[in-house]
């Protein structure tokens, strides 16, 4: 049984280059779909499930996040991945390692999701959980293959999976402190820390 989740890490270092001119020269999480930026909506949802301790890992145009968070929230700690152009998700997550002491939710900054997704993953009894959806047809899918409830493989190329995917990666995960420790060991032992 996992401990009660009260922390979250939101990864927001990426450039959003696949959006082309649609990103309006801002980080993806600061784009608005409704009346508020995507990341603002996500933080509201996290607060509704009593996740008040939130770490935001920024990179691309971090100054825009600094200003937005300062003007709108007081419970967000920001850490920066200054080398965001040459590194990836695990490097960004490693920037928050000194602030992570408990199980936590790991989210991407540009997710548009229903509040029930957070309830589902928090209430699920496992300590390390990857939230999946049905096929979305979004064009940016990451397919997930599982076996007996365990993650086996993930790929953007469905042909690289041994079996038909169980679902698509949503970008919301529940990570135990033990798994996080193992992830950081893998990161530290990687050849170039760009795993």
């Amino acid at each position: 049984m996992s401990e009660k989740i009260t922390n979250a890490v939101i990864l927001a270092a990426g450039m959003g280059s696949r959006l082309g001119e649609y990103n309006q020269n801002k980080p993806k999480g600061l784009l608005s779909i409704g009346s508020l930026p995507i990341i603002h909506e996500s933080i509201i949802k996290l607060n509704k499930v009593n996740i008040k301790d939130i770490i935001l890992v920024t990179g691309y145009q971090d100054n825009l996040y600094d200003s937005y968070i300062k003007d709108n929230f007081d419970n967000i700690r920001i850490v920066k991945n200054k080398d965001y152009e040459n590194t990836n998700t695990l490097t960004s997550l490693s920037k928050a390692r000194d602030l992570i002491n408990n199980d936590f939710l790991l989210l991407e900054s540009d997710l548009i999701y229903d509040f029930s997704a957070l309830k589902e993953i928090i209430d699920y009894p496992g300590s390390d959980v990857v939230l999946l959806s049905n096929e979305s047809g979004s064009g940016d899918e990451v397919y997930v293959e599982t076996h007996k409830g365990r993650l086996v493989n993930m790929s953007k190329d469905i042909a690289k999976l041994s079996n038909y995917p169980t679902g698509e990666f949503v970008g919301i995960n529940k990570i135990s402190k033990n798994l996080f420790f193992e992830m950081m060991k893998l990161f530290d032992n990687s050849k170039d820390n760009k795993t």
Side-chain angles (χ1 to χ4, degrees):
M1 185 79 169
S2 65
E3 62 183 63
K4 181 69 176 155
I5 303 287
T6 58
N7 307 320
V9 176
I10 302 175
L11 300 177
M15 295 173 56
S17 55
R18 286 177 292 190
L19 289 174
E21 75 246 17
Y22 297 109
N23 78 350
Q24 303 163 9
N25 293 317
K26 356 176 148 165
K28 291 186 290 184
L30 290 177
L31 297 177
S32 295
I33 301 299
S35 59
L36 294 170
I38 297 168
I39 198 161
H40 194 125
E41 296 273 2
S42 190
I43 292 168
I44 289 170
K45 291 171 187 168
L46 288 166
N47 287 171
K48 277 186 181 177
V49 292
N50 293 317
I51 294 180
K52 308 288 185 191
D53 184 4
I54 300 171
I55 301 164
L56 179 66
V57 183
T58 63
Y60 174 67
Q61 294 197 0
D62 57 1
N63 60 316
L64 295 179
Y65 276 118
D66 291 344
S67 298
Y68 190 83
I69 295 302
K70 182 180 176 221
D71 290 346
N72 292 282
F73 298 100
D74 58 7
N75 65 326
I76 312 294
R77 294 182 286 169
I78 298 176
V79 294
K80 300 176 191 267
N81 177 2
K82 293 290 189 186
D83 195 25
Y84 64 90
E85 288 184 83
N86 301 308
T87 59
N88 64 18
T89 301
L90 197 54
T91 302
S92 290
L93 183 57
S94 76
K95 302 299 180 186
R97 75 165 66 186
D98 293 338
L99 303 175
I100 298 172
N101 301 309
N102 301 303
D103 296 2
F104 63 99
L105 290 186
L106 177 62
L107 299 90
E108 297 173 10
S109 64
D110 60 343
L111 296 179
I112 300 166
Y113 60 92
D114 190 76
F115 171 74
S116 63
L118 292 178
K119 293 280 298 157
E120 187 79 23
I121 199 163
I122 288 170
D123 292 343
Y124 190 83
S127 57
D128 298 300
V129 181
V130 175
L131 187 66
L132 303 181
S133 71
N134 293 326
E135 291 184 41
S136 67
S138 68
D140 192 31
E141 301 88 353
V142 174
Y143 301 102
V144 178
E145 178 183 358
T146 64
H147 179 70
K148 295 184 178 180
R150 300 239 180 231
L151 191 141
V152 174
N153 196 0
M154 295 173 64
S155 180
K156 286 186 161 286
D157 183 354
I158 200 168
K160 291 187 177 177
L161 303 181
S162 301
N163 295 300
Y164 194 77
T166 308
E168 291 179 15
F169 182 70
V170 171
I172 303 174
N173 311 281
K174 183 165 49 170
I175 309 287
S176 69
K177 58 187 170 193
N178 292 334
L179 175 60
F180 181 64
F181 177 75
E182 292 301 319
M183 291 167 71
M184 290 300 96
K185 265 187 10 187
L186 173 70
F187 173 77
D188 291 338
N189 292 328
S190 66
K191 196 170 190 180
D192 57 4
N193 282 358
K194 294 180 185 176
T195 305

